[in-house]
Amino acid sequence: MTEHDRWQALQIRRPDEVRTTPGGPVPLGWQAEKRTGHSARLMNTRLPADFPHKVERGDEGDALAVLALGEAMRRDIEAGRGSDVRTAAELGATWRQIADALDTTPAHARGLLRAWATGQHRLYSGDRARGEARPLGLDDERYGAVLALCATGDDGEPPSGMTPEPAIRCLVIRSGGESSPQEPQQ
């Protein structure tokens, strides 16, 4: 039996039951798939008793599973939000764009990233203090890099008092000794 098969057969009544056999997280896609099945059966309970097609009708177990899976998914999404904000910022999204995607303010979006980064830095520091061979989380350098992302302006401008690094011009030397300045390719 695969882990997915085991997951599909598992009865869920509480959010803390949403775990793999080794105790790890269940992919959100699997959770959504399972919740959709329970939801479909619950919707069928609203059909008339003389509905002309064969349908599987839900029960209280389906209702509890929908609630528990919804809560588990909400928690998983919330736990990953800071990492998602980091990814967006690292890939060039401005704080205003990130805030719009989250339906919040740039200051709040920055706060989400700072809180996530601080937690990841604490995780790393704790692992190091316990002598873990491969500590999880953000080391000092990566933590600093994430905090530097928070310092950019709402529309991507560098922090006040800092000027962007000047564009680097390249000197291209062609065969035959000829040279010419060239702007870097983006």
Side-chain angles (χ1 to χ4, degrees), residues 120-178:
Q120 292 297 306
H121 189 246
R122 284 187 189 131
L123 175 62
Y124 179 85
S125 299
D127 279 3
R128 288 277 315 245
R130 286 186 299 280
E132 296 288 338
R134 296 181 66 182
L136 300 175
L138 295 175
D139 63 20
D140 292 342
E141 184 178 335
R142 293 188 314 162
Y143 179 56
V146 172
L147 293 182
L149 289 171
C150 294
T152 58
D154 290 355
D155 295 308
E157 62 275 8
S160 62
M162 290 182 69
T163 56
E165 292 186 25
I168 300 170
R169 295 179 54 113
C170 303
L171 185 60
V172 177
I173 301 176
R174 295 181 176 77
S175 61
E178 182 182 337

Side-chain angles (χ1 to χ4, degrees), residues 8 31-44 56 58 62 66 69:
Q8 288 297 348
Q31 293 179 53
E33 177 185 23
K34 191 172 187 74
R35 187 175 191 273
T36 299
H38 289 291
S39 292
R41 286 188 293 278
L42 288 178
M43 286 189 292
N44 290 341
E56 189 178 353
D62 289 299
V66 164
L69 286 159

Side-chain angles (χ1 to χ4, degrees), residues 77-87 112-113 116:
I77 291 167
E78 185 64 31
R81 188 176 308 257
S83 179
D84 295 341
V85 169
R86 174 191 182 185
T87 300
L112 289 170
L113 182 56
W116 174 84

